[in-house]
Amino acid sequence: MEKLTKISEKIKILKDARNILHEEYSKTEFHKKKEAHPHETIPPAPEDEGIYKLLTAIQQLDVHIKKLQDIQFKILKEKENE
């Protein structure tokens, strides 16, 4: 059960980090342009490099959260079958 608690704590930390990065992204002009024109492709500008790094970081956090959630689910299923 301790393993499950550690995984849950890691998931919470990663989700908190993702939310912080998402808040930063939401404040950007790039995000505002995307919100105003969601079906249009916005051409990349040199000043948007940091935003792409931010989006990549958010995506990577999502990947790690999903992996931990899969492990968490597997542990819960094993406990259920005991």
Side-chain angles (χ1 to χ4, degrees):
M1 198 53 117
E2 185 178 326
K3 186 176 182 179
L4 190 60
T5 302
K6 286 182 180 182
I7 291 172
S8 295
E9 288 174 12
K10 287 180 182 180
I11 291 171
K12 182 186 179 311
I13 290 167
L14 291 175
K15 283 184 174 183
D16 288 345
R18 182 189 61 196
N19 290 339
I20 290 168
L21 294 179
H22 193 270
E23 283 177 31
E24 290 300 313
Y25 168 70
S26 296
K27 296 176 189 175
T28 65
E29 287 301 313
F30 183 86
H31 173 70
K32 292 173 186 167
K33 289 178 198 173
K34 287 292 259 183
E35 287 286 306
H37 308 285
H39 299 293
E40 293 180 21
T41 302
I42 298 181
E47 62 271 9
D48 293 336
E49 181 181 347
I51 293 163
Y52 286 111
K53 288 179 181 178
L54 188 61
L55 288 172
T56 300
I58 292 168
Q59 291 170 343
Q60 288 300 310
L61 286 169
D62 284 337
V63 167
H64 290 291
I65 290 167
K66 175 73 171 105
K67 284 180 185 177
L68 288 172
Q69 286 174 332
D70 289 346
I71 293 169
Q72 187 181 43
F73 181 73
K74 183 179 175 184
I75 292 169
L76 289 170
K77 287 295 267 185
E78 289 172 357
K79 296 273 187 213
E80 184 179 284
N81 291 333
E82 288 180 358

